[in-house]
Amino acid sequence: MKNSIQNYVMKRLLITFIPPACIILYLLFVLKWQNDEYTNIVKNLSIATEFNFKFKENVDHKMYRVVIGADTIENLNPYEDLEYAKNIFEKLLESGDLKEEISRPKGLITLVNILNNQIDNIAKSDIYKDYNKNILSLEYDIRITTELIEDTVNDYIYEETKKLNTVSIKIRKQMAVIFTFSIISILCILYFTMYMYNLVSGHIADPIKKLCNYTKRSENDLLENNLKSNILEIDELSYNFNDKIIRIKELIENIKIEQKNKKNTELWLLQAQINPHFLYNTLDTVVWMAEAGDSKKVVDMITALSSFLRIGLNKGKKFIQIREEIRHIESYLKIQKFRYDDILEYSIEIENSLYDMRILKLLLQPLVENALYHGIKYKREGGSIRIRGYEKDNNIILEVIDNGVGMDENKLNKIKAVIENTSLENSDIIRTNGDSFGLYNVAERIRLYYGNEYGLDIESRENVGTTVTIILPAENNMN
């Protein structure tokens, strides 16, 4: 009788556990492969972000001074910048496995070699006799090549970021499937226990009943049983049950850790989208003012830039007071006012009760930048940007209003589709509508931190203007 029961139990165990175990093992293998891919992409991004985005400015400036005879190529040594960039691109080439992962690093190395030859040609020339030829080479060879290098690096980082998000989504889905099959395994164990209870004799009914009680309790608490029995079949079942509970606990804990890490990584990447051209243009403006001898404007410009960067960094904190967010956007607008004085006016109207409230930082700047570059800039007679803030229905309402060129209904609907998209994986529209990425960035960060009930709303009329509204909960104690 004991052997017969043992054989029956073993047969049921094989039928019950082998298929889901194989599926879970396969899913774990796929998950490991995807984690390896995720790690490789993060490694590539880490290497790519070592690239100095002042590379173009440094090389162009050094070669300009060489061409005009203000300094020598030996003193300025532009080859040092080329060697630095080439080392980074070679690291990217070594870390890439697929054809598409190594094509851009190869192209970047080729561009660096071309730039090296172009610098060599100028270095070998007579600086004074070949002045005109060197000026043309600087303008149409060196500056174009350095711009191609920086644009290619930006494209590489953009594509790797998209791949990173895609892999993250796949990993989340895989974890959900593993969790589902783990729950199914528990249900199979419950079914097996109840089924055997009705078949075996009374002298094993009590231990099986105890085991069933443990399984029912473990549905919610995932408790291990301490059942002791003189029946081999019951002991094996008890051992297997405990093993599954331990594995499920480990899987659930790993899922929680992975989800937390992925969410933090996605938020960091979204918040780290910095437009280097803003810094370049600002510094170029400072240089232009300094050359013009306007020291007061230089001081004002640098003061505004310092405030802008200091508040933006904020010692790594995610939340700041609204007064700090307003100071940050005021600094940004002051900087832009220097560059677009003839076409830009702005005003800020915030209710006093809002200033001490805390919100997620860097929400307004992308919206104001979008209003300036895609609304005001293309309006011939110039325009204005108005920022309003007030509290309504226990919510914080922040509005960025411009009287720029606006947009037609078709384009507005496309941008709304981008804002409402909850994943970059299927977001081809973001790539084809660059002016929507800043809006998507802000909307996605709000969703991740506050929930799907908060976010952005956008209204626009062609040749009238655009209003973008931020809706947040009125909270004072965000960490």
Side-chain angles (χ1 to χ4, degrees):
M1 183 67 177
K2 184 174 182 179
N3 290 334
S4 175
I5 293 175
Q6 183 179 14
N7 291 337
Y8 182 83
V9 170
M10 290 302 298
K11 181 180 179 181
R12 291 297 173 183
L13 283 173
L14 292 174
I15 295 174
T16 304
F17 295 115
I18 286 182
C22 290
I23 295 174
I24 291 175
L25 287 174
Y26 169 76
L27 292 174
L28 289 172
F29 174 80
V30 173
L31 183 61
K32 181 183 182 303
W33 176 77
Q34 290 172 346
N35 275 332
D36 290 342
E37 183 180 3
Y38 184 94
T39 302
N40 189 57
I41 294 173
V42 172
K43 178 183 177 183
N44 290 342
L45 280 172
S46 298
I47 295 172
T49 52
E50 292 177 11
F51 179 73
N52 184 3
F53 282 96
K54 290 187 178 182
F55 173 82
K56 172 178 173 59
E57 179 184 346
N58 291 340
V59 174
D60 290 354
H61 179 70
K62 289 179 179 179
M63 292 311 300
Y64 172 76
R65 290 184 61 81
V66 170
V67 169
I68 66 174
D71 211 331
T72 65
I73 201 162
E74 290 78 13
N75 287 339
L76 296 177
N77 194 13
Y79 297 104
E80 184 181 42
D81 298 278
L82 271 59
E83 186 64 25
Y84 169 80
K86 191 173 182 179
N87 287 337
I88 291 176
F89 303 152
E90 286 175 347
K91 288 181 184 178
L92 291 177
L93 186 61
E94 292 173 0
S95 64
D97 296 325
L98 302 177
K99 181 178 180 181
E100 56 269 24
E101 291 177 348
I102 64 176
S103 60
R104 276 199 176 90
K106 280 185 176 180
L108 285 166
I109 293 173
T110 301
L111 287 172
V112 171
N113 290 333
I114 291 173
L115 183 59
N116 190 86
N117 292 335
Q118 293 167 349
I119 293 174
D120 283 343
N121 291 336
I122 292 178
K124 295 174 183 178
S125 68
D126 188 318
I127 295 301
Y128 298 102
K129 290 183 179 180
D130 297 328
Y131 175 80
N132 291 332
K133 184 180 74 173
N134 289 342
I135 282 291
L136 290 176
S137 177
L138 174 65
E139 186 68 27
Y140 296 104
D141 294 334
I142 292 177
R143 288 181 176 173
I144 290 176
T145 304
T146 55
E147 184 173 355
L148 282 173
I149 290 173
E150 288 200 344
D151 288 345
T152 304
V153 173
N154 281 327
D155 290 342
Y156 181 88
I157 292 175
Y158 174 75
E159 293 298 329
E160 288 296 300
T161 301
K162 281 205 316 179
K163 285 168 59 179
L164 182 67
N165 189 74
T166 300
V167 172
S168 298
I169 292 171
K170 289 181 180 178
I171 292 175
R172 281 202 301 271
K173 291 180 179 178
Q174 200 70 34
M175 287 180 175
V177 172
I178 292 174
F179 183 80
T180 300
F181 272 99
S182 299
I183 297 301
I184 291 174
S185 298
I186 294 177
L187 295 177
C188 289
I189 294 173
L190 291 173
Y191 173 79
F192 169 77
T193 304
M194 295 301 297
Y195 181 68
M196 289 297 296
Y197 178 80
N198 293 323
L199 292 180
V200 297
S201 59
H203 71 281
I204 62 172
D206 289 339
I208 292 179
K209 183 177 180 180
K210 292 179 181 179
L211 181 59
C212 288
N213 290 334
Y214 274 112
T215 60
K216 290 179 180 178
R217 291 175 60 191
S218 297
E219 287 183 11
N220 296 322
D221 300 330
L222 293 178
L223 299 174
E224 298 174 38
N225 75 78
N226 57 357
L227 182 63
K228 300 297 181 181
S229 171
N230 59 353
I231 301 172
L232 179 61
E233 291 84 350
I234 301 300
D235 290 338
E236 287 186 8
L237 185 59
S238 176
Y239 172 82
N240 287 331
F241 177 80
N242 284 341
D243 181 62
K244 292 298 179 184
I245 292 296
I246 293 171
R247 290 180 61 190
I248 290 170
K249 287 180 178 179
E250 292 174 350
L251 286 173
I252 292 174
E253 188 63 28
N254 289 337
I255 288 171
K256 290 178 180 179
I257 293 173
E258 287 291 335
Q259 287 177 338
K260 181 179 179 180
N261 290 339
K262 285 184 297 168
K263 182 176 180 180
N264 288 337
T265 301
E266 289 167 355
L267 287 172
W268 178 82
L269 287 173
L270 285 171
Q271 189 163 327
Q273 303 298 321
I274 299 174
N275 182 1
H277 296 293
F278 169 71
L279 290 178
Y280 299 160
N281 293 335
T282 301
L283 293 174
D284 285 343
T285 303
V286 171
V287 171
W288 176 79
M289 290 177 177
E291 290 177 346
D294 198 338
S295 59
K296 185 180 185 306
K297 287 187 177 180
V298 170
V299 172
D300 292 343
M301 186 76 150
I302 293 177
T303 301
L305 180 60
S306 173
S307 175
F308 175 82
L309 294 176
R310 182 171 60 254
I311 297 173
L313 295 174
N314 195 32
K315 299 181 179 179
K317 295 181 180 178
K318 299 175 183 177
F319 293 86
I320 60 176
Q321 289 182 329
I322 290 181
R323 70 173 69 255
E324 294 297 310
E325 181 76 3
I326 296 304
R327 285 177 57 195
H328 182 257
I329 200 61
E330 281 180 331
S331 299
Y332 176 80
L333 285 167
K334 285 179 182 178
I335 293 170
Q336 296 292 21
K337 181 70 173 173
F338 282 109
R339 298 182 57 219
Y340 300 104
D341 184 59
D342 55 334
I343 66 168
L344 174 64
E345 297 293 334
Y346 67 89
S347 63
I348 300 176
E349 305 164 13
I350 306 294
E351 288 184 355
N352 291 333
S353 60
L354 296 184
Y355 279 106
D356 291 330
M357 293 187 178
R358 301 180 68 81
I359 62 172
L360 187 64
K361 72 175 182 180
L362 301 182
L363 295 182
L364 288 175
Q365 188 272 333
L367 307 186
V368 173
E369 181 179 30
N370 203 70
L372 175 60
Y373 285 112
H374 302 288
I376 303 300
K377 191 174 179 180
Y378 294 103
K379 189 175 182 181
R380 292 184 179 179
E381 65 273 24
S384 64
I385 296 175
R386 182 184 178 198
I387 299 171
R388 295 181 64 226
Y390 54 94
E391 187 175 355
K392 180 180 179 182
D393 299 330
N394 204 32
N395 288 329
I396 297 172
I397 308 296
L398 300 174
E399 295 177 342
V400 177
I401 307 165
D402 69 75
N403 63 348
V405 296
M407 64 190 84
D408 58 32
E409 185 175 355
N410 183 48
K411 184 176 182 181
L412 178 62
N413 290 335
K414 288 182 178 180
I415 291 180
K416 284 186 175 181
V418 171
I419 295 174
E420 295 168 2
N421 200 323
T422 59
S423 170
L424 280 173
E425 182 183 27
N426 301 314
S427 189
D428 291 336
I429 189 172
I430 295 175
R431 185 175 64 253
T432 57
N433 293 272
D435 54 336
S436 354
F437 187 77
L439 298 174
Y440 173 83
N441 189 326
V442 173
E444 181 67 3
R445 290 171 57 217
I446 292 174
R447 277 195 293 265
L448 289 171
Y449 275 111
Y450 296 104
N452 292 330
E453 63 269 32
Y454 301 99
L456 294 185
D457 182 59
I458 180 170
E459 297 297 333
S460 183
R461 289 178 58 191
E462 193 171 11
N463 299 321
V464 175
T466 302
T467 299
V468 181
T469 304
I470 299 175
I471 305 171
L472 305 172
E475 301 176 5
N476 289 312
N477 298 313
M478 300 296 290
N479 294 321

